[in-house]
Amino acid sequence: MRVLGIESSCDETAAAVYDSGGGLLSNVVTSQTAIHALYGGVVPELASREHIRTVWPAAEQALAEAGCDAASLDGIAATAGPGLIGAVLVGLSFARALAYALKKPMVGVDHLEAHIYAGFLEHDIPFPYISLLVSGGHTSLFLVSSWDQARCLGSTRDDAAGEAFDKAAKMMGLGYPGGAIIDRMAADGDRARFPFPRARISGAPLDFSFSGLKTALRTFLETPPGKIAAQADVAASFQEAIVDSLVKRTLAAAKAQGVPRVVLAGGVSANSRLRDKMTSEGEKAGVRVFLPARVFCTDNAAMVALLGERRLSSGASSGLDLPAYASSRFSR
Ligand code: KG4
Ligand code: ZN
């Protein structure tokens, strides 16, 4: 089965072709970062307009790179939610129209679920595993037992980790989006230089909280020594506080569930320190850590096409009246 996947939930217009036999045949991502950088964050209305402009070219390019035409597709998959609702609607409506025109089945895919299973694009991962989904909108731990079963074990109570990175970069005057900038800057910094707080939620050991850390950084930057501290040290120390929380809870979840496998997902799992620390701490704890390539961590359509292929192959499909939705059954 050959499936075209479409992703448009935030500020990336993406299209990819996944084939049951041949695997991933193409993976096109058109980023809108330059447009939103002017405003220091994603502007929903601009995102929707840009998706309308780029969705068909992205799909055409994905088909061309896969060496196939639309008629040879067996189905279409698109992100149905959660995300910026106008943005989701563009990709979903495009997929519905294409499926109707081609008389092929279509399936709506949950964006979070697509991230959770993205590890299968490169690895053969035995179930069950612990998924850490860490992005600009989400920070959650899941116990993933099969292609149809993923249970949320813990979530952030306030900001997502990516949001904390982005807000920190803004406060430090580093630009947008901040995660990758802080990651690069932290490489030359001393991560033990400033002890930023690591929040704990009493009674909920697998939940996260990053809003206190953000406030601590703001206060720190306004007074000495924060005012005059080397930015690399601040970036490295701030990043370490986030990474520490993520690694500790993920490995605690693996231990509590008796599951010796962890798969990272979402944009923040591109973070170099998170990848290194999760791997080294995982080794010490006897946990194997699967790290998807960076292109499969951030938003992409390969993960949508893969999950779509799975769903359509097992006989599932959505009606052409499938609605877009803003919050996922996978969020808590
Ligand atoms: O999954 P994603 O592309 O979009 C969603 O939020 O769904 O994740 C984007 C987030 C942004 O907050 C961005 O700053 C963060 O991922 N990010 C990183 C890195 N690369 C992207 N955060 C830390 N280190 C990175 N290298
Ligand atoms: Zn995402």
Side-chain angles (χ1 to χ4, degrees):
M1 172 161 277
R2 184 170 289 181
V3 175
L4 172 70
I6 302 288
E7 154 64 34
S8 69
S9 65
C10 192
D11 60 342
E12 260 102 26
T13 322
V17 178
Y18 189 88
D19 183 274
S20 309
L24 185 64
L25 302 183
S26 65
N27 184 29
V28 173
V29 182
T30 313
S31 174
Q32 307 176 359
T33 304
I35 295 168
H36 302 291
L38 296 171
Y39 305 93
V42 178
V43 182
E45 178 68 18
L46 294 182
S48 308
R49 287 166 188 245
E50 194 59 14
H51 285 309
I52 287 179
R53 202 177 66 76
T54 52
V55 68
W56 180 227
E60 274 193 313
Q61 192 185 334
L63 289 169
E65 287 180 14
C68 62
D69 56 18
S72 72
L73 294 171
D74 300 300
I76 322 282
T79 299
L84 302 171
I85 202 73
V88 174
L89 273 168
V90 175
L92 185 61
S93 305
F94 172 79
R96 283 163 44 168
L98 192 60
Y100 178 73
L102 295 171
K103 298 187 174 55
K104 298 283 160 78
M106 83 144 287
V107 66
V109 163
D110 186 283
H111 182 78
L112 303 192
E113 212 181 350
H115 271 304
I116 290 171
Y117 294 103
F120 286 97
L121 286 164
E122 299 161 286
H123 306 280
D124 202 6
I125 307 167
F127 290 112
Y129 62 84
I130 300 292
S131 163
L132 170 68
L133 171 57
V134 63
S135 71
H138 302 276
T139 299
S140 298
L141 283 163
F142 297 90
L143 172 63
V144 188
S145 310
S146 70
W147 282 97
D148 299 303
Q149 254 188 315
R151 181 161 64 87
C152 185
L153 303 171
S155 257
T156 181
R157 296 287 181 105
D158 39 59
D159 292 350
E163 199 179 349
F165 270 114
D166 293 340
K167 287 178 178 169
K170 203 169 181 176
M171 279 186 244
M172 294 171 70
L174 298 177
Y176 168 87
I181 304 174
I182 291 192
D183 188 355
R184 275 196 303 277
M185 183 167 265
D188 304 317
D190 175 359
R191 52 182 174 254
R193 179 84 177 79
F194 303 112
F196 286 112
R198 277 78 163 152
R200 287 167 168 276
I201 313 277
S202 74
L206 298 181
D207 277 357
F208 304 85
S209 168
F210 297 109
S211 68
L213 171 63
K214 183 184 62 187
T215 311
L217 176 68
R218 179 173 292 122
T219 313
F220 174 80
L221 291 172
E222 284 166 359
T223 47
K227 247 178 156 168
I228 50 163
Q231 278 202 320
D233 290 346
V234 180
S237 301
F238 179 84
Q239 173 175 275
E240 195 65 11
I242 294 186
V243 168
D244 238 12
S245 302
L246 296 174
V247 171
K248 284 214 174 83
R249 281 170 185 66
T250 306
L251 295 178
K255 191 172 174 193
Q257 298 295 327
V259 170
R261 280 173 295 278
V262 161
V263 183
L264 298 196
V268 179
S269 54
N271 184 268
S272 342
R273 178 65 183 150
L274 176 62
R275 295 167 84 89
D276 288 352
K277 190 160 183 165
M278 192 72 83
T279 304
S280 59
E281 294 297 310
E283 249 165 47
K284 286 184 211 159
V287 171
R288 176 154 182 220
V289 177
F290 293 86
L291 303 171
R294 282 173 169 76
V295 283
F296 302 131
C297 292
T298 49
D299 286 349
N300 65 86
M303 64 184 189
V304 174
L306 165 72
L307 193 55
E309 182 270 338
R310 283 276 143 181
R311 295 284 180 261
L312 291 166
S313 296
S314 68
S317 67
S318 311
L320 289 180
D321 56 351
L322 174 74
Y325 54 87
S327 56
S328 170
R329 68 186 169 97
F330 289 93
S331 348
R332 256 199 343 187

